[in-house]
Amino acid sequence: MSTSTLLHGGAVIDGTGSPPQLNSSVLIEGEKIIAVGAEADALAQSHKDVQKIDVSGLTVMPGLIDAHTHVTLGEPASNDELFHRREPATAALIAAHNVKKILQAGVTSILDVDGIFNIGPALRDAINAGITEGPSMKSGTFALMTAVGGTAGRMIPDHGTAGYAEVVHNRDEMVRVVRRQIKDGADIIKIHVTGVIPARSGEIQVWTRDELKTVCDTAHDLGVPVTAHCRGDQATLDAVLAGVDIIWHASFLGERALEAIIDKKTAVGPVFTFLANLAEYGAKVGATASVQSTFAGELEHTGARLRQAYDAGVPLLCGSESGFSITPYGNWHAREMEVFVQHMGLTPLQAISCATYTNAHALQQFGQVGIIAAGAQADILVLDGHPEKDVAVLGNKTSFRHLFKKGRAITLAEVPERSLLRGERVEPWSAQLLKWDLIHQK
């Protein structure tokens, strides 16, 4: 069996933002890229049993990294489904099925930011052990929340866990839970700094800066990064100053938070895909006009601010929020790059760099993955198209020709659709009220 593979004659996009290297080669040995360009061709001549793959006319680039997934949630269409219609055993089995879809979308690594029933670390380990096939994975566990809640309002309990949430009440409990999550296998800690309560519009800040610092200090002492869901200027400012490593969303930034992000070079993952899908395509799946308008406004405001941060050298991460009915697995992992180009004015190569080279920050593997270079992990996507001109081609799986994860060729094939489990989805009695006038009006 060949131990080395030479991809020769392709246009190589290395992930750093540099222009494609035309008529170039990449030599893979084991799990690593050992040479690129003329050196790859020369080394291949001296190696025995080299499998040569002609990729002339094709693009060779790093496998995509999705820095914000929810692979255990199972594509709920509502919080009711997420919080009340999931069981641990079946949720784990469904997650093992769904990670295959993500890999088939050209995604070779993911950061699963939070999930249900602490399935994420176990799924990561199962992938590493070859029990199921999927992208390389870093995982969080439950998202930390105060008793005020998160994005599910009153569905967040006053104590314990529910859905993707774990509620903490005081500093001693914050320290204990962070340490326990790390013991349970968490690669990251996630905090919901803002949340929704029925009496208020939008999201409000539900953590103090001192509380955030307690979580950050505890996690950092154990070598684990902290990420935070933040919507609002003050919430983002407090999270950055408390030492959070990655800010998710960063919606409605003001000058103070923007200055802090730039000063500390705190990585930001805006996770625009969910917003863009609702704003632009929501009508196709029954979203209301008011919901579409709300998310469109957030997209434009935040995009302009984050372009300033990007120009100042802030790492900008690409994440799809895959795991909901608006962002089903295997479908929208390249969408964030399109949004970066359309709404932030990045070039396609800059957007590709965010989804590969820069996204390695989220995995704590910067320079090791997300790049075509000697010594990097051999996560490689080969496709028929020119993503340096139009990143939308990366969302079209029919353009893919070869995929390698850790140097191993992945068979490209559609993952069969499954049937829904009984009770998995909400089954309403009606789509509207059955009023007398509805039946008898002339």
Side-chain angles (χ1 to χ4, degrees):
M1 178 179 288
S2 297
T3 57
S4 301
T5 302
L6 180 70
L7 306 175
H8 65 94
V12 175
I13 295 175
D14 66 9
T16 67
S18 300
Q21 304 166 41
L22 303 180
N23 193 27
S24 191
S25 299
V26 178
L27 183 61
I28 303 166
E29 187 171 277
E31 295 186 357
K32 300 289 186 180
I33 296 169
I34 63 169
V36 179
E39 184 181 357
D41 292 320
L43 276 175
Q45 295 297 322
S46 63
H47 281 221
K48 294 181 179 179
D49 300 324
V50 175
Q51 178 189 17
K52 296 183 178 181
I53 300 176
D54 186 356
V55 291
S56 300
L58 304 177
T59 296
V60 179
M61 61 176 285
L64 300 178
I65 300 171
D66 193 329
H68 194 113
T69 66
H70 298 276
V71 78
T72 67
L73 302 191
E75 302 168 341
S78 67
N79 279 324
D80 179 53
E81 288 182 359
L82 172 55
F83 279 78
H84 302 302
R85 294 174 178 269
R86 298 291 182 266
E87 297 294 334
T90 51
L93 292 169
I94 291 169
H97 173 80
N98 285 330
V99 285
K100 299 173 185 176
K101 297 181 182 179
I102 299 175
L103 182 62
Q104 289 293 322
V107 178
T108 49
S109 296
I110 61 173
L111 174 61
D112 202 58
V113 292
D114 60 41
I116 58 177
F117 306 121
N118 203 35
I119 293 169
L123 180 60
R124 172 202 63 206
D125 295 345
I127 292 170
N128 288 341
I131 296 169
T132 190
E133 189 169 65
S136 299
M137 181 175 169
K138 299 284 188 175
S139 180
T141 59
F142 296 102
L144 298 184
M145 301 189 188
T146 65
V148 181
T151 54
R154 289 191 177 123
M155 290 187 183
I156 304 300
D158 293 335
H159 308 274
T161 64
Y164 55 83
E166 180 160 12
V167 176
V168 290
H169 290 91
N170 54 52
R171 286 172 178 77
D172 287 344
E173 199 165 71
M174 292 168 193
V175 171
R176 177 182 62 80
V177 169
V178 168
R179 288 173 175 168
R180 195 215 71 240
Q181 286 196 1
I182 293 170
K183 180 178 70 175
D184 288 346
D187 295 305
I188 62 158
I189 299 297
K190 183 184 176 185
I191 310 170
H192 261 258
V193 182
T194 56
V196 176
I197 59 175
R200 306 278 188 90
S201 61
E203 294 188 26
I204 64 168
Q205 185 169 343
V206 296
W207 289 70
T208 68
R209 186 185 300 178
D210 286 344
E211 290 170 335
L212 295 171
K213 190 173 188 303
T214 296
V215 172
C216 290
D217 289 348
T218 304
H220 290 163
D221 284 346
L222 293 168
V224 173
V226 178
T227 77
H229 168 113
C230 296
R231 285 194 162 97
D233 183 55
Q234 186 64 45
T236 303
L237 175 65
D238 284 344
V240 171
L241 295 181
V244 166
D245 301 283
I246 300 174
I247 301 292
W248 304 120
H249 308 299
S251 308
F252 305 113
L253 283 178
E255 289 296 335
R256 296 181 306 159
L258 180 61
E259 289 174 4
I261 287 171
I262 291 172
D263 179 59
K264 292 184 175 292
K265 297 295 185 288
T266 303
V268 177
V271 201
F272 282 145
T273 296
F274 190 96
L275 309 183
N277 277 6
L278 266 177
E280 298 177 28
Y281 309 139
K284 294 181 179 293
V285 290
T288 65
S290 61
V291 167
Q292 289 182 270
S293 176
T294 297
F295 283 116
E298 180 178 338
L299 184 62
E300 291 303 324
H301 180 278
T302 306
R305 288 291 193 183
L306 290 182
R307 177 60 201 248
Q308 293 178 257
Y310 175 81
D311 289 340
V314 171
L316 200 61
L317 309 180
C318 276
S320 68
E321 197 94 76
S322 287
F324 298 90
S325 62
I326 296 296
T327 50
Y329 306 110
N331 285 268
W332 301 106
H333 303 281
R335 172 79 157 128
E336 195 84 348
M337 288 180 281
E338 293 182 57
V339 179
F340 282 9
V341 172
Q342 294 169 1
H343 294 275
M344 295 180 60
L346 269 63
T347 69
L349 283 170
Q350 288 173 328
I352 290 169
S353 185
C354 290
T356 55
Y357 183 66
T358 304
N359 258 4
H361 281 291
L363 308 174
Q364 295 183 287
Q365 292 179 291
F366 185 71
Q368 302 170 47
V369 297
I371 184 172
I372 302 294
Q377 189 165 289
D379 296 339
I380 300 172
L381 174 63
V382 181
L383 68 149
D384 186 1
H386 297 279
E388 77 279 7
K389 298 178 182 178
D390 183 6
V391 291
V393 70
L394 292 170
N396 181 6
K397 289 175 284 189
T398 65
S399 70
F400 298 170
R401 296 295 176 264
H402 303 279
L403 181 65
F404 295 85
K405 177 198 160 190
K406 293 184 177 180
R408 183 174 67 87
I410 303 298
T411 300
L412 294 171
E414 279 294 320
V415 177
E417 290 299 322
R418 65 177 183 89
S419 299
L420 291 176
L421 297 171
R422 182 176 297 176
E424 185 179 349
R425 293 283 183 257
V426 171
E427 297 176 2
W429 291 324
S430 65
Q432 64 184 92
L433 295 176
L434 182 59
K435 295 184 176 181
W436 188 91
D437 289 345
L438 182 66
I439 304 303
H440 295 92
Q441 63 187 355
K442 296 181 179 179

